[in-house]
Amino acid sequence: MAKDKTDLLQGTLDMLILKALQLQPMHGFGISVRIRQISEDVLRVEQGSLYPALYRLEEQGWITSDWGISENNRKAKFYEITKLGRKQLANETANWERLSLAVNQVLGAKLKDLG
Amino acid sequence: MIDRLRGFWVRLRRMFFRRESDGGLAAEMQSHLEQETARRIATGEHPATARRRAAAEFGSVDARTEEVRDARMGAWFDDLRIDLRYALRGLRKSPTFSVVTVLILTLGIGSAATIFSIVNEVLWRDLPFADSDRVVRVAATRKEDGHSANQTTSGPLIHAWRERTSSFEYFAIFSQRTTVFNHNNRSPRQARALVASPSLYDIVGLPMQLGRRLTAEDASPGAEAVAVLSHETWVTDFNRDPSVLDRHITLDAQSHRVIGVLSPEAFLTILPRPENTDFLLPFLEPIERLNRGEWYYNVVAKLKPGVTVDSAHAEMLAVAERIQTERPELSEESLTRVVSLQEDRNRLVRPALWATVTLVALLLISTVVNGVKLTLVRTISREGEFSVRSALGASRGRLTRQLLAETGLLAVLGSIGGVLLASWGVNLLARVGPPALTAIARFGFDRDAILFALVVCALTTFAITAASLCRVRSADQAIDTANRSTTAGQNQNRLLNGLMTAQFAIATAVLVAAGLMLVSFVRLTSVDPGFQTEDRLSFRITLPDTDYTDHETRVQMFDRIRGQTAALPGVTAVTGSHAPPLSGHSEGWGWWFIDGRGEPEPKPVQARVVLDDYHATMGIDLIRGRFFDRRDHADASPVVIINERLAHNHFGEEDAIGRSIQFGWQEKPMEVIGIVHNVQHFSLRNEIKAMIYVPAGQLQTADVAVMSFVVRGTGSPTSLVSSISSIVAGIDPGLPLAEVALISDWVREAVALEHSILQLLLFFSGVTVLITAVGLYGVVSYLMRQRRRELGIRVAVGAQRGQIAALVYQQGARIVLAGIALGIFVAWSGTRIISNLLYDVDAFAPVVYLGAGVVLITAASIALGLPAWRATKINPTEALRSE
């Protein structure tokens, strides 16, 4: 119950991180770059919220982490999405779609009424 | 479920591996910064600029690390802080509930932790030396000594064992001896020496403060006389002087060189009264030369590795049988046994401790049940609050945590109180506890006891929270029905009634046990000891062999002391015996008794050497014949007085007076001149044995060097002590006055263990009754609040106050009576646990069960009084409007 009711902003970041990890394991820096790339520079993730979020996700059991070597030969911590995380991502995506649809409808309706 | 477990596991792992994880965090931040820099360089920025910009954007690594850490721990701590604040606020809102619950938990946990500390130390903890599980007592108890505490054996028999057994690595012999210690110009004092084979110290490994311990050479024939001082003797008599080593001290007029001082930690667990040991002396070999009639010596042995107590016991039995056929004169008619030292040490107190443990466990259960019940009642009353919170979005987990915080807070406060109470209780028992208990272990409140309190605390919290949660679950639904004025859940009332009934059952069982002990104690202390105990003072004189070499000089000495003491003003009579009844002395003067009728069948008998006027002064009544008098001097024909038991057992219907009987150590037969009443010699528990009294002056081959004088005075005999000690000093300044005591104190000491156990049980049962009454009050108050509306209506339609009060009592009566009935059944089937502690009480004595019932019903009536009174004060208009 508690997990379903996480507040919007926090939930959104979590969703974005899970989405970024969907294809392959990545380190923190990679994740921030990836999110920026996918959103075409619209969404920027502050480091101050990225790492606490990673910790939170790991604690929920949605991602796991392990030390590895980055593409430029540096020691880095890689995060990998778990089965549970994929399920959560699917849930959240569905929720998000429902929510955004609803919001769009409301906004659309309002516009229509006004119009 | 699995998710939750997983999350829990991850959190748990983090908690323990935080250090690693923190280091990892900093490295991760550093790595991020470096990659950002690398990216900027890759896009063409100058390395220095790239580094600067990356750092500016990222901020300090430390700050970032800190943020993540805050996110990790912070949330948890924040929630905890909030929970605790809520909990405190909640508890402050109902101060009576909080204080009462904490106090009850304090009493329950405190009592349990106290008893736990003692039982842990006495029954469970290993003795304080290496391989203590391999250390055993080996004893042969002569049949005549029966089951009494005496486990001593003769030197030649021990030697025979030593030669024929193979189970043992070490075989140590020891005995305790009273010696006279002369030190510098101070007045001599009586001192206790432990005389032991040096191998004893290989077994128990005593730590030394100074010098060396005794070795096998010290015990070899012709070795220099040496002694080790106890730490206390070193402190009191030698003022902690380190130069005491190699100095000579005088024990029994013989010079001994001091070779060592024991460390204060040294605790002679092998001895019945270790605190009384002043000196350690070597037991001189060869022990086989000792008199085979002197069964004075104890054996402690260490099993070889791999040998069990049982197999050693089996070997000893076989060896004993061989000795019995080969050398019957050695083993006499004895029972040989091998017991672990631990078991042997606590054998006297074990039944009492188990009974206490059972009772305190019941008390603890009652405490927890009570906590569960009161919290349940409170949770139910707060149903509204929980429903509203739940409706406002508080998750079940959140509510659970809050409940946990509240009950946890109560349990923690109660446990802290309990730990404080227990540390006080353990110290109290260590100081004033019965010697039987304090002598065998050093108690202290330690880590184990705190651990115990912690476990109890956790279990209590768990039980209480679980019960409350059951309520919250239904509260989820309560908001739906939202109809709180219906008679609230029958189920919850049934649970409450069940818990309450269980508590009354426990209280009944505890009260019955305490009641049985009380009746037993009253019976025990009203046993007629067979002699007078008031206005009589005793002191003991030990004559050293060196100054008093033959029997005549000793008896003369005893007579001089007796005569001069009797001349003191305020003294009406003086006598003495080497072992008066209940004095704690029962030295092996039990010898073979041969009936003068012809067939020489030896029978066991206890013999007491007495001075003139013994029976009259002690107040032992004559049945037939006469007491000893002036006619029975050393040169007259030998006479003897026998007790009723002997007369009855061996002469039966015949008159024993004028018959003659023969003893092993009296060459000439002695004529029976009187029959006296039995006395309680060994304890007050009616352990009557056949006994003879022999005048000291007429001893033929045996002799006696110790005498406990008994002085009968008018007024307070203790005021005589100083004049008596100056008389003794006047006769021989080298003689110390020892064991000065009132005879009434002997009687008190004889029941000290029973007295302490009784006090403990009474205290525990008092606490149990209190807890039960408080619990009943809480539950009935709640039930009555539930029925407020109904009561209001009843008052409105004209119910009298009496009728309303009767309703309250009715509500309580069913619980109380059912509980008592159940408790009587439980007690009935559980009395086995204390039956062997009882003296002269039937474990099913109706009066005890009746008494327990009366106490509980009275307590219940008082507890119901307040809710009843409150119910009669109900204002119908308010009651009806409030819903």
Side-chain angles (χ1 to χ4, degrees):
Chain A
M1 208 200 290
K3 285 172 193 167
D4 297 342
K5 288 184 181 169
T6 46
D7 72 74
L8 189 67
L9 210 66
Q10 187 182 316
T12 317
L13 177 58
D14 291 355
M15 192 171 68
L16 291 177
I17 293 173
L18 289 177
K19 183 75 190 167
L21 289 173
Q22 203 182 14
L23 292 178
Q24 73 202 64
M26 254 187 279
H27 45 69
F29 175 73
I31 294 171
S32 68
V33 172
R34 181 63 178 252
I35 290 176
R36 213 181 311 167
Q37 281 172 353
I38 305 179
S39 68
E40 293 168 345
D41 262 355
V42 175
L43 296 174
R44 279 187 170 237
V45 185
E46 294 293 328
Q47 285 77 21
S49 40
L50 173 67
Y51 286 97
L54 283 171
Y55 160 73
R56 223 170 25 239
L57 294 179
E58 192 173 2
E59 197 197 6
Q60 303 281 13
W62 293 336
I63 59 175
T64 57
S65 67
D66 208 354
W67 287 94
I69 303 296
S70 71
E71 50 279 22
N72 48 4
N73 262 339
R74 282 171 202 280
K75 203 171 152 232
K77 201 172 184 185
F78 282 78
Y79 293 88
E80 186 175 358
I81 190 164
T82 63
K83 222 170 168 181
L84 214 65
R86 288 183 196 280
K87 216 190 288 173
Q88 175 67 14
L89 177 61
N91 271 344
E92 293 231 16
T93 315
N95 275 344
W96 174 257
E97 277 164 5
R98 234 186 4 255
L99 182 66
S100 58
L101 191 71
V103 171
N104 284 338
Q105 270 171 356
V106 170
L107 293 179
K110 272 211 172 136
L111 289 174
K112 228 189 297 170
D113 285 352
L114 283 176
Chain B
M1 188 62 201
I2 292 181
D3 311 359
R4 234 175 252 177
L5 273 180
R6 208 199 133 80
F8 177 74
W9 172 242
V10 171
R11 241 162 300 173
L12 201 69
R13 220 176 41 195
R14 275 193 195 279
M15 218 181 266
F16 287 104
F17 298 106
R18 176 120 39 83
R19 193 177 298 274
E20 184 273 329
S21 169
D22 265 9
L25 201 52
E28 192 176 7
M29 297 300 142
Q30 192 61 44
S31 139
H32 185 110
L33 191 54
E34 282 167 10
Q35 295 190 64
E36 173 70 17
T37 314
R39 189 187 63 85
R40 284 177 183 272
I41 293 171
T43 57
E45 286 186 28
H46 186 271
T49 324
R51 203 165 295 129
R52 204 185 56 237
R53 284 195 184 153
E57 192 189 314
F58 191 79
S60 123
V61 170
D62 283 349
R64 291 283 97 84
T65 313
E66 206 55 43
E67 273 170 20
V68 181
R69 197 177 307 148
D70 282 356
R72 279 179 189 179
M73 296 308 297
W76 196 79
F77 273 119
D78 278 350
D79 282 356
L80 182 69
R81 220 181 45 227
I82 292 168
D83 285 337
L84 282 180
R85 212 169 48 213
Y86 269 134
L88 266 179
R89 199 185 295 161
L91 295 184
R92 223 181 298 145
K93 249 197 290 186
S94 37
T96 325
F97 162 83
S98 315
V99 169
V100 167
T101 311
V102 168
L103 275 185
I104 285 178
L105 283 173
T106 297
L107 283 174
I109 296 177
S111 306
T114 306
I115 296 307
F116 170 83
S117 303
I118 286 161
V119 170
N120 185 35
E121 189 62 52
V122 174
L123 299 185
W124 298 328
R125 185 162 298 165
D126 286 341
L127 295 178
F129 43 81
D131 304 321
S132 59
D133 53 325
R134 276 164 48 203
V135 179
V136 293
R137 269 306 277 269
V138 185
T141 319
R142 279 188 297 187
K143 282 194 184 137
E144 70 186 78
D145 292 335
H147 60 279
S148 72
N150 221 346
Q151 302 199 40
T152 48
T153 311
S154 76
L157 182 56
I158 295 172
H159 180 71
W161 289 346
R162 205 163 56 174
E163 291 213 307
R164 288 162 212 236
T165 50
S166 61
S167 299
F168 307 101
E169 195 170 88
Y170 296 103
F171 214 86
I173 176 171
F174 70 90
S175 69
Q176 277 176 294
R177 205 175 86 198
T178 310
T179 63
V180 177
F181 170 46
N182 281 296
H183 175 50
N184 294 343
N185 304 320
R186 270 187 252 174
S187 60
R189 72 173 176 93
Q190 178 175 300
R192 297 283 282 172
L194 168 66
V195 188
S197 324
S199 59
L200 180 71
Y201 308 111
D202 291 321
I203 301 174
V204 300
L206 288 182
M208 302 291 290
Q209 171 93 30
L210 289 177
R212 64 170 179 90
R213 35 168 256 189
L214 295 162
T215 61
E217 287 82 66
D218 299 321
S220 55
E224 179 197 15
V226 292
V228 168
L229 306 184
S230 80
H231 194 264
E232 212 179 323
T233 307
W234 185 54
V235 172
T236 50
D237 293 298
F238 295 93
N239 209 10
R240 296 175 186 273
D241 182 1
S243 69
V244 72
L245 291 183
D246 288 330
R247 220 188 276 173
H248 284 79
I249 57 168
T250 311
L251 291 176
D252 281 351
Q254 195 199 350
S255 170
H256 291 71
R257 185 166 64 88
V258 176
I259 58 163
V261 175
L262 285 182
S263 135
E265 277 89 53
F267 188 54
L268 297 161
T269 24
I270 44 165
L271 300 181
R273 299 295 291 268
E275 75 275 17
N276 290 342
T277 304
D278 302 304
F279 299 99
L280 308 185
L281 304 175
F283 202 115
L284 297 180
E285 297 281 344
I287 58 169
E288 62 269 32
R289 297 258 181 83
L290 293 168
N291 184 337
R292 70 176 158 81
E294 292 176 345
W295 285 53
Y296 295 164
Y297 310 111
N298 300 276
V299 173
V300 164
K302 187 169 183 178
L303 300 173
K304 283 180 181 160
V307 177
T308 64
V309 175
D310 285 340
S311 63
H313 185 74
E315 191 197 11
M316 273 304 301
L317 286 183
V319 166
E321 208 164 299
R322 260 194 1 252
I323 296 175
Q324 178 70 40
T325 46
E326 289 167 24
R327 303 186 62 191
E329 79 283 2
L330 275 192
S331 63
E332 301 189 16
E333 261 186 67
S334 58
L335 302 163
T336 311
R337 2 181 249 123
V338 177
V339 253
S340 86
L341 184 58
Q342 174 86 310
E343 205 183 311
D344 175 72
R345 199 179 61 128
N346 60 40
R347 101 197 105 97
L348 290 179
V349 296
R350 208 180 309 132
L353 281 183
W354 277 119
T356 316
V357 166
T358 314
L359 249 63
V360 90
L362 286 176
L363 166 59
L364 189 60
I365 293 173
S366 185
T367 312
V368 175
V369 166
N370 197 63
V372 168
K373 229 174 42 197
L374 291 187
T375 322
L376 205 56
V377 166
R378 193 155 164 273
T379 314
I380 296 168
S381 331
R382 287 164 68 195
E383 228 159 52
E385 177 197 337
F386 285 119
S387 305
V388 171
R389 283 210 202 169
S390 193
L392 286 180
S395 69
R396 240 177 94 64
R398 200 70 191 70
L399 284 182
T400 311
R401 282 186 54 159
Q402 205 212 313
L403 270 176
L404 206 67
E406 269 183 36
T407 51
L409 195 63
L410 287 176
V412 166
L413 288 177
S415 303
I416 292 174
V419 164
L420 292 178
L421 182 66
S423 65
W424 176 80
V426 172
N427 287 332
L428 182 76
L429 274 176
R431 262 185 301 125
V432 303
L437 198 61
T438 50
I440 57 175
R442 280 181 180 164
F443 308 126
F445 191 74
D446 59 9
R447 218 183 34 199
D448 287 2
I450 291 177
L451 205 66
F452 172 82
L454 273 179
V455 170
V456 171
C457 173
L459 286 179
T460 311
T461 314
F462 176 77
I464 296 179
T465 314
S468 307
L469 272 182
C470 294
R471 287 305 313 152
V472 177
R473 186 195 297 276
S474 356
D476 283 349
Q477 294 130 27
I479 196 81
D480 298 335
T481 49
N483 191 359
R484 303 205 302 117
S485 61
T486 53
T487 315
Q490 284 300 313
N491 282 340
Q492 77 209 27
N493 285 357
R494 217 172 297 146
L495 177 60
L496 278 178
N497 285 341
L499 290 174
M500 198 62 241
T501 310
Q503 242 187 323
F504 266 93
I506 288 176
T508 311
V510 171
L511 271 180
V512 166
L516 287 172
M517 279 303 285
L518 180 65
V519 174
S520 159
F521 187 75
V522 169
R523 297 262 163 89
L524 195 57
T525 45
S526 54
V527 163
D528 175 15
F531 58 94
Q532 296 296 319
T533 58
E534 295 309 315
D535 304 328
R536 283 161 177 83
L537 177 86
S538 173
F539 62 93
R540 194 166 171 90
I541 296 286
T542 306
L543 302 177
D545 296 354
T546 40
D547 295 346
Y548 300 85
T549 43
D550 61 302
H551 186 57
E552 252 107 70
T553 50
R554 289 181 201 166
V555 172
Q556 276 167 19
M557 186 65 193
F558 291 143
D559 278 339
R560 267 180 79 189
I561 296 174
R562 195 181 89 84
Q564 294 197 18
T565 310
L568 282 173
V571 172
T572 50
V574 181
T575 187
S577 163
H578 76 277
L582 298 183
S583 63
H585 293 284
S586 52
E587 285 86 3
W589 284 85
W591 292 86
W592 301 117
F593 153 69
I594 299 171
D595 193 341
R597 269 176 297 186
E599 87 273 28
E601 192 196 347
K603 295 260 168 62
V605 69
Q606 294 279 328
R608 293 293 172 266
V609 174
V610 298
L611 300 182
D612 291 357
D613 288 343
Y614 181 72
H615 296 94
T617 311
M618 289 296 287
I620 301 171
D621 290 337
L622 187 70
I623 295 177
R624 265 205 310 286
R626 64 170 179 91
F627 287 149
F628 298 129
D629 58 27
R630 217 167 293 135
R631 280 169 278 174
D632 310 313
H633 52 82
D635 303 322
S637 77
V639 290
V640 66
I641 290 178
I642 66 176
N643 74 350
E644 213 179 340
R645 173 60 55 89
L646 182 65
H648 178 263
N649 281 3
H650 299 299
F651 295 97
E653 297 297 303
E654 298 171 49
D655 191 2
I657 304 285
R659 304 291 299 268
S660 76
I661 55 180
Q662 174 87 48
F663 288 89
W665 44 266
Q666 293 284 69
E667 279 169 2
K668 290 182 235 158
M670 301 179 291
E671 183 193 344
V672 178
I673 57 160
I675 302 173
V676 293
H677 270 296
N678 296 328
V679 297
Q680 303 284 343
H681 196 101
F682 307 93
S683 73
L684 286 175
R685 290 178 175 250
N686 240 335
E687 296 177 77
I688 302 291
K689 290 177 185 168
M691 190 168 280
I692 60 166
Y693 297 92
V694 181
Q698 291 195 337
L699 283 181
Q700 297 165 23
T701 54
D703 63 44
V704 61
V706 288
M707 191 55 66
S708 282
F709 290 85
V710 174
V711 182
R712 183 175 179 193
T714 51
S716 150
T718 36
S719 60
L720 297 167
V721 175
S722 61
S723 3
I724 292 173
S725 74
S726 55
I727 285 179
V728 174
I731 296 173
D732 179 350
L735 286 182
L737 205 63
E739 294 176 32
V740 180
L742 290 172
I743 293 192
S744 50
D745 289 339
W746 291 347
V747 180
R748 209 163 301 132
E749 254 176 58
V751 292
L753 180 63
E754 286 88 348
H755 190 222
S756 296
I757 296 296
L758 176 68
Q759 282 177 325
L760 277 179
L761 296 198
L762 285 181
F763 175 74
F764 294 154
S765 55
V767 172
T768 314
V769 171
L770 181 74
I771 292 174
T772 311
V774 169
L776 182 69
Y777 163 77
V779 168
V780 172
S781 298
Y782 159 71
L783 293 176
M784 284 302 129
R785 255 199 316 278
Q786 263 188 338
R787 291 173 66 182
R788 208 173 136 81
R789 195 184 164 91
E790 175 205 330
L791 293 177
I793 293 172
R794 281 175 190 265
V795 174
V797 299
Q800 296 300 303
R801 284 186 168 194
Q803 289 170 307
I804 297 292
L807 274 176
V808 179
Y809 276 95
Q810 235 169 37
Q811 183 106 38
R814 243 173 298 153
I815 302 173
V816 175
L817 293 179
I820 292 177
L822 184 64
I824 286 178
F825 176 74
V826 170
W828 202 294
S829 39
T831 41
R832 198 172 39 86
I833 296 167
I834 61 163
S835 59
N836 52 359
L837 291 175
L838 298 180
Y839 172 77
D840 197 25
V841 188
D842 181 5
F844 304 119
V847 61
V848 172
Y849 290 79
L850 203 67
V854 169
V855 169
L856 278 177
I857 290 174
T858 311
S861 309
I862 296 170
L864 290 174
L866 196 55
W869 179 76
R870 233 188 257 141
T872 60
K873 290 280 168 213
I874 282 182
N875 178 336
T877 4
E878 271 176 31
L880 291 172
R881 201 179 290 152
S882 69
E883 290 293 323

